[in-house]
Amino acid sequence: TRRHHAVASQERNDCPAPTDISILGNVILNCDRRNSEPSTPRGILLQGCKRFSIAGNVINKTVSDGICLIPNTVGCSHGVVTGNTIYQAGITVDSTAGVPGQGIRVQDGFDITISGNHAFESREGGLRVHGSTDRIVITGNDFQKNGKSGMEIQNTRDFVVSDNLSV
């Protein structure tokens, strides 16, 4: 039982953004407890990172998102999220309303490819792309039996969505 993110790389206001990150072939189980009310353990969190690859990971049961790409001073950019399998994001005893529960979530990112991923039984959705995102490619993913939606795409410019299964 984890009470923190299993893997995290975060930009800090006083340091340059983390770059050249590879998170490959990990098995992440049970990020399913909160330390305190505001904590939201995720499987993989990148915050304000550049040039990254998240590939071939298996993530099961997180309080919040399975894979989360969010901004600090800037959004995540120039990355690939591919071949990951996420089960039950946001489906734990400590998951509550108002805490994101997406298989994969991208906020304010750009130049990101999301391909060949599988997200099953997430509390909210398989994939959510929102904020001010640009140049996103979403292809060949499988989003099934998720709570609210298979894919939710908002406020995104210059994007491609093709060959996905969303049930």
Side-chain angles (χ1 to χ4, degrees), residues 22-78:
S22 295
I23 302 171
L24 312 171
N26 300 285
V27 175
I28 298 168
L29 305 175
N30 302 326
C31 291
D32 61 353
R33 294 283 183 218
R34 300 173 93 177
N35 278 343
S36 59
E37 178 105 5
S39 75
T40 53
R42 298 167 174 99
I44 297 172
L45 169 66
L46 296 187
Q47 185 174 15
C49 297
K50 297 177 183 175
R51 295 187 308 271
F52 61 87
S53 178
I54 301 172
N57 299 286
V58 175
I59 302 167
N60 187 35
K61 289 194 177 179
T62 55
V63 170
S64 186
D65 307 308
I67 296 173
C68 183
L69 311 175
I70 57 175
N72 187 8
T73 59
V74 298
C76 292
S77 65
H78 304 90

Side-chain angles (χ1 to χ4, degrees), residues 54-57 67 80-86 103-106 112-120 125-129 136-146 149-153 159-167:
I54 301 172
N57 299 286
I67 296 173
V80 176
V81 178
T82 187
N84 300 286
T85 301
I86 301 128
I104 301 169
R105 181 165 69 106
V106 178
I112 298 172
T113 298
I114 301 166
S115 67
N117 298 288
H118 309 278
F120 304 110
L127 171 68
R128 182 172 187 216
V129 178
I136 306 292
V137 175
I138 303 166
T139 185
N141 298 286
D142 182 6
F143 303 119
Q144 294 188 45
K145 299 181 182 177
N146 295 291
S149 64
M151 291 185 286
E152 180 182 353
I153 302 167
F159 66 95
V160 174
V161 177
S162 68
D163 301 317
N164 297 285
L165 175 62
S166 181
V167 180

